[in-house]
Amino acid sequence: MPTIPRARGLSLLALVVAPLLSVTACGDWGTNASASGSDGSDAAASPDTRPSAAVVTDYRSYVGGQLAEVDAKQSPVTLGWVNVEGGPDGSPEATLGAQAAVKYVNDKLGGIGGHPLRLNVCTVVSTEEEGGKCGQQLLTDESVSAIGVGDLFVGDDAFSSVIAGRKPVLVGVATGPTLPTATNTYSTFGDLPHVFGTWGTYAREVLKANSVAVIHTKTPGDLVASTAAVKGLTAAGVFVKSVEFDAGVTDLVGQIRADKADTADVIVPISLGAGCVEIAKALKRLAVTQPVVSTPLCMSPDVAKGLGGDLPTWTYGVAQTLPADTSAPDTRAFLTASAEVGLSPDTASKVLAPLGWSTILTYAKVLNTIGADKVTPVSVSEQLKKFTGPVVMGAAEVQCGKYKDAPAVCNDQTRFYQYKGKGVFHPLTDWIHPYR
C-alpha cells in the first residue's frame, strides 16, 4: 500500500500560511438530500473532472529524447539532488525514483542530446544545519546548473538561504515550510494550502453538498490544512463548520454529536496518525453513511495500524496520479519504464518514488530544450518560468508564479480516489481546480 510524505513534514507547513480563517456556525445543518453515497462513487462528474488530454506516457516524446545512445566521452550534464533520508522519518524512495529516472534517460532516451545525465546527491538526515551544508555543496559545484528536491521537510530553510535563488530548484511537493516562497524555486505538484482549495469544488460540484463538517485537531499542522480546506469550501458556497478537538482525545463521539457534525452532507477529517484513527472510530460508532472525504494526511501506515491493519475506506484527495491506480495509463507507463531500469515494485508503489522520477524527467525536457552545451543556471531558470506542463504523474497544465504569496507553487489541482481496502484505490475524478 502506498505511503505519502511524512506527517512531520506536512505539519511544518503551518509556518507557510497566512493568519488562520475561523469559520463556525450554530444551529442545524442545511439539507443533505443532495449528498451521494458514502463512497462518493455515485456522484455525477462536473466539467472539472473530465479526463485530461495531456497524460504523459511517451517519455521519449515528452523529453525530446534522441534515438542515439549516450556518448560517454561527452561531458555530463549534472543536476544536484537533495532529500531527507537516512533517519527514521526519511524518504529514500524519492532519491531512488530520481536515480532510476536518470538511468532511464541515459539508457533509453539518449541522455541530454547525447551527453550523459548525472546526479550529485546530498542527503539531510534530521537537522536544519544539514540542509545548509547540502546547499553549499551543490552551490559550489560548478557542474551543477540546477537542483532537484525530494522530500525536504527539514533543512529547507537553511538550504534555500544558501542557494538564495542563484541556481534553480525544482521540487515535486513542497513539503518544507519555506519552499513555497523560496526564490527561483518551482513546485510542480504544489503544496497543501493551495491544493486543499479543491475540496470545495469536489463537495459542491461532484457531491452536490450544501453542508460540510471539517473535523481536526488544534495542532498547528492540522490548523493549516483545515484552514485551507475551509477556505476552499466557503469559496464554493458550501455551509461549513470547523469541529476542533484536542490531540490525544480518545473518544470523539460526544463532541461530534454535540456539534452535529454527523448530520452534515459531507465530513472532511483533517488530522495525522492518532487523530485520524479516533475520527474513523467515532464515525464508525455513529454509523455515518454520508461521504467522508479525507486529505492525504490520513493515508499513512500508522493510521492503518491503529485501525487493525488497513486505512478507512474513505474518499481521499491527492495531488498526484497514485502509483496504486493501475487503471491510469500514466501509472502503467511509470511502472513499466521504472522496472526496466531496476526500480523495485515495492519502491515504485510509494508516491515519493514517482515524484522523484517526475522531477528528473521534467528537467530532462527542459535541458533538451536548451541544448546540453547551453545549460546554465540562467537558461534553466528561464525555461522553468515558462513551464506549463504536462507533469509526469501530475496535472496536464500548471502555472508557476500564479500565487503572489507562494511564487514557487505551480499547481493547485487534486484528484480524488475511493479507497476500497487492501491497497486498492478507485479513481473518482480527473484533475480538479479550486472553485472559481
Side-chain angles (χ1 to χ4, degrees):
M1 182 167 55
T3 58
I4 60 163
R6 299 298 185 265
R8 178 184 174 189
L10 294 170
S11 66
L12 287 173
L13 284 165
L15 301 177
V16 180
V17 178
L20 297 177
L21 172 69
S22 177
V23 179
T24 58
C26 301
D28 294 334
W29 294 98
T31 177
N32 60 6
S34 61
S36 302
S38 60
D39 66 353
S41 59
D42 295 329
S46 74
D48 282 313
T49 69
R50 290 178 296 185
S52 301
V55 175
V56 181
T57 58
D58 182 346
Y59 294 144
R60 181 177 298 281
S61 175
Y62 180 75
V63 307
Q66 298 182 352
L67 294 175
E69 294 182 357
V70 167
D71 183 355
K73 296 180 181 180
Q74 296 272 26
S75 58
V77 177
T78 304
L79 295 172
W81 180 262
V82 59
N83 183 52
V84 177
E85 56 187 279
D89 293 326
S91 306
E93 63 271 18
T95 298
L96 292 172
Q99 291 172 329
V102 168
K103 182 172 176 56
Y104 190 83
V105 168
N106 288 330
D107 291 358
K108 307 292 184 179
L109 306 180
I112 306 302
H115 291 246
L117 182 62
R118 295 285 182 264
L119 209 59
N120 180 344
V121 177
C122 186
T123 59
V124 173
V125 177
S126 61
T127 68
E128 192 67 31
E129 180 185 14
E130 292 169 322
K133 290 181 178 179
C134 281
Q136 194 64 37
Q137 173 183 318
L138 301 178
L139 183 64
T140 57
D141 185 345
E142 294 183 358
S143 69
V144 172
S145 294
I147 301 167
V149 169
D151 185 18
L152 192 62
F153 62 80
V154 63
D156 62 293
D157 190 8
F159 168 78
S160 297
S161 295
V162 170
I163 297 298
R166 286 175 284 183
K167 292 185 178 182
V169 175
L170 184 63
V171 56
V173 175
T175 54
T178 67
L179 291 175
T181 57
T183 303
N184 204 12
T185 298
Y186 309 86
S187 174
T188 50
F189 289 82
D191 68 342
L192 292 184
H194 294 90
V195 300
F196 280 4
T198 58
W199 266 249
T201 307
Y202 186 74
R204 175 169 174 172
E205 298 295 329
V206 180
L207 297 181
K208 309 300 182 184
N210 294 315
S211 58
V212 175
V214 178
I215 306 176
H216 60 92
T217 74
K218 300 175 183 178
T219 59
D222 288 0
L223 285 172
V224 169
S226 63
T227 297
V230 167
K231 184 177 180 180
L233 289 159
T234 303
V238 179
F239 184 81
V240 186
K241 184 173 185 179
S242 290
V243 180
E244 296 183 355
F245 66 95
D246 293 322
V249 172
T250 58
D251 187 353
L252 298 177
V253 170
Q255 185 171 349
I256 289 175
R257 277 178 174 163
D259 290 333
K260 298 184 179 180
D262 56 330
T263 66
D265 294 345
V266 177
I267 296 174
V268 176
I270 298 182
S271 192
L272 304 169
C276 297
V277 170
E278 295 308 322
I279 294 172
K281 288 180 177 178
L283 295 181
K284 184 176 181 179
R285 286 177 57 191
L286 289 166
V288 166
T289 59
Q290 53 266 58
V292 179
V293 186
S294 176
T295 69
L297 300 174
C298 288
M299 291 172 58
S300 60
D302 52 342
V303 174
K305 183 178 179 180
L307 293 172
D310 206 351
L311 296 175
T313 51
W314 295 338
T315 298
Y316 295 87
V318 189
Q320 179 191 25
T321 299
L322 285 178
D325 177 16
T326 55
S327 70
D330 45 348
T331 291
R332 295 195 298 271
F334 162 68
L335 294 176
T336 299
S338 61
E340 290 177 358
V341 289
L343 191 67
S344 72
D346 179 63
T347 299
S349 70
K350 300 174 181 177
V351 296
L352 284 165
L355 285 180
W357 175 274
S358 175
T359 298
I360 296 302
L361 288 180
T362 299
Y363 261 139
K365 179 180 179 70
V366 166
L367 298 173
N368 275 323
T369 299
I370 297 169
D373 58 341
K374 297 180 180 179
V375 171
T376 66
V378 172
S379 64
V380 175
S381 296
E382 290 175 349
Q383 286 298 317
L384 288 176
K385 289 176 184 177
K386 296 186 291 185
F387 180 70
T388 58
V391 178
V392 175
M393 300 288 284
E397 296 178 352
V398 296
Q399 183 180 346
C400 298
K402 177 179 180 179
Y403 293 100
K404 292 182 179 180
D405 65 331
V409 172
C410 303
N411 178 61
D412 57 6
Q413 302 164 71
T414 304
R415 295 192 68 182
F416 288 83
Y417 291 86
Q418 175 61 38
Y419 185 58
K420 298 291 189 178
K422 298 182 179 180
V424 177
F425 288 84
H426 173 69
L428 299 177
T429 71
D430 199 77
W431 298 100
I432 292 181
H433 291 268
Y435 192 83
R436 55 193 180 193

